[in-house]
């Protein structure tokens, strides 16, 4: 990470992470989507390419899966990959018989993350460049990410080294999800390690300000 005359700077992305346990509107979202809160829920955020199909294959039996594609133009493709899914834009009354939910909206992913037992960060299991995992980690969610993370390489590397995120291949995803959902203590350890790292790294904005002041004043 960048430094100047011994001054640790780091990325300001850590400062934007809200270390909270609840997100306003999350319970309403769960009710509107008919999510059965007695069953485990995997939330996959910023999905793309064929990740919905991958997640459907990797999902353990009896577990609900909510996918939130990153781009609106991917919504219809994602819906076809999740047969029988409840789609946020056309949700009705009742619970999704398939256990599959498509969040085809913008601006509600944080609410969905707060409902999750496990989060999977998308755009990381194909040919793209990853998505930022800091938000679900800050919400205290055990988080899984794929191998393609070049846009957020340092953040992911730091979290992996701290034990605050799991980075796995496509082939490992199913087993990893099954193991996490079967082991609440393991999930708590990952979540706590991730939050600890975020707390340690926060303050980058102030360090940047100090660096700029140092450069201006000489």
């Amino acid at each position: 990470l960048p430094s100047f005359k011994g001054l640790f700077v780091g990325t300001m992305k850590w400062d934007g992470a809200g270390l909270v346990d609840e997100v306003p509107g999350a319970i309403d979202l769960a009710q509107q989507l008919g999510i059965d809160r007695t069953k485990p829920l995997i939330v996959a955020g910023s999905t793309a390419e064929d990740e919905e199909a991958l997640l459907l294959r990797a999902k353990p039996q009896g577990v609900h899966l909510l996918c939130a594609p990153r781009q609106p133009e991917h919504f219809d493709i994602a819906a076809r990959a999740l047969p029988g899914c409840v789609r946020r834009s056309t949700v009705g009354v009742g619970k999704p018989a398939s256990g599959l939910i498509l969040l085809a909206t913008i601006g509600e992913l944080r609410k969905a993350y707060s409902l999750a037992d496990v989060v999977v960060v998308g755009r990381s299991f194909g040919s793209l460049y990853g998505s930022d995992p800091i938000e679900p980690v800050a919400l205290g969610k055990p988080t899984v990410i794929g191998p393609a993370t070049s846009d957020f390489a340092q953040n992911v590397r730091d979290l992996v080294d701290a034990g605050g995120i799991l980075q796995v291949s496509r082939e490992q995803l199913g087993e990893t999800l099954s193991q996490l959902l079967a082991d609440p203590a393991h999930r708590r350890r990952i979540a706590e390690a991730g939050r600890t790292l975020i707390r340690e790294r926060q303050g980058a904005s102030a360090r940047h300000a100090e660096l700029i002041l140092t450069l201006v004043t000489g």
Side-chain angles (χ1 to χ4, degrees):
L1 292 174
S3 62
F4 182 77
K5 294 183 179 179
L7 176 64
F8 174 80
V9 181
T11 174
M12 290 185 286
K13 286 184 175 292
W14 301 108
D15 288 352
L19 292 160
V20 298
D21 295 324
E22 297 182 1
V23 174
I27 300 303
D28 289 341
L29 178 65
Q31 293 173 344
Q32 292 160 9
L33 290 171
I35 295 173
D36 186 347
R37 302 301 304 282
T38 67
K39 294 184 178 181
L41 173 65
I42 298 168
V43 172
S46 298
T47 56
E49 295 184 330
D50 66 340
E51 289 179 329
E52 293 84 15
L54 170 67
L55 286 154
L56 181 58
R57 293 192 300 270
K59 179 185 76 70
Q61 189 173 2
V63 174
H64 281 197
L65 170 65
L66 184 153
C67 290
R70 183 180 178 89
Q71 301 291 345
E73 54 267 30
H74 189 62
F75 289 165
D76 289 342
I77 297 171
R80 290 194 292 271
L82 299 170
C85 68
V86 164
R87 185 165 172 165
R88 170 63 165 161
S89 57
T90 58
V91 66
V93 178
K95 297 179 180 179
S98 66
L100 305 175
I101 303 125
L102 177 65
L103 193 64
T105 59
I106 301 296
E108 294 189 300
L109 180 55
R110 182 174 171 82
K111 296 177 190 177
Y113 277 156
S114 75
L115 299 169
D117 293 284
V118 175
V119 166
V120 179
V121 178
R123 288 170 54 89
S124 64
F125 289 94
S127 61
L128 297 176
Y129 310 104
S131 298
D132 192 348
I134 292 178
E135 184 170 58
V137 173
L139 291 172
K141 302 302 175 180
T143 300
V144 179
I145 198 165
T149 60
S150 58
D151 278 358
F152 303 92
Q154 187 63 58
N155 292 352
V156 172
R157 187 156 49 246
D158 291 347
L159 284 164
V160 169
D161 290 345
I165 197 171
L166 295 180
Q167 187 170 29
V168 302
S169 67
R170 293 172 65 94
E171 294 75 21
Q172 295 168 321
L173 181 59
E175 183 179 0
T176 298
L177 293 175
S178 294
Q179 290 176 347
L180 282 174
L181 291 170
D183 192 343
H186 189 195
R187 297 202 303 271
R188 286 193 297 270
R189 287 194 298 271
I190 294 169
E192 290 167 4
R195 280 183 153 184
T196 296
L197 179 68
I198 290 174
R199 291 189 186 97
E200 292 173 351
R201 292 296 169 86
Q202 286 184 330
S205 298
R207 292 190 290 270
H208 275 84
E210 184 180 349
L211 173 57
I212 292 169
L213 183 61
T214 300
L215 291 171
V216 169
T217 61

